[in-house]
Amino acid sequence: MTKFQYTCETPNDFVGGDVYSNDLETIENYCIEMGEEHGYSCVRDIDGEIVFDYGDIMDMVEQGIV
């Protein structure tokens, strides 16, 4: 099984699910696109730490999504 270095999570994207990559620049660009489309998105490293995020997570908290 392949282990990816990064995971992009978009809490408000109920259809797409998480996206995985080993290239930080590529997944950051994807995160920006998803954040613009869905309000918030973040990239976590293999240890689960957020290394990049885009958008307003507080809006997601207010909606009860996160």
Side-chain angles (χ1 to χ4, degrees):
M1 177 176 235
T2 303
K3 282 201 160 208
F4 291 99
Q5 186 67 33
Y6 304 103
T7 305
C8 182
E9 301 173 355
T10 307
N12 207 22
D13 181 14
F14 303 111
V15 177
D18 296 343
V19 173
Y20 306 92
S21 179
N22 285 319
D23 182 49
L24 182 58
E25 183 179 354
T26 299
I27 205 153
E28 283 179 348
N29 290 335
Y30 179 78
C31 179
I32 291 169
E33 290 176 25
M34 297 309 291
E36 288 176 351
E37 186 174 333
H38 296 284
Y40 177 78
S41 189
C42 69
V43 175
R44 293 184 185 271
D45 66 12
I46 198 165
D47 297 321
E49 299 294 320
I50 294 176
V51 295
F52 183 82
D53 69 337
Y54 187 88
D56 183 10
I57 193 165
M58 294 311 294
D59 187 45
M60 302 287 114
V61 172
E62 290 173 6
Q63 294 178 40
I65 296 171
V66 294

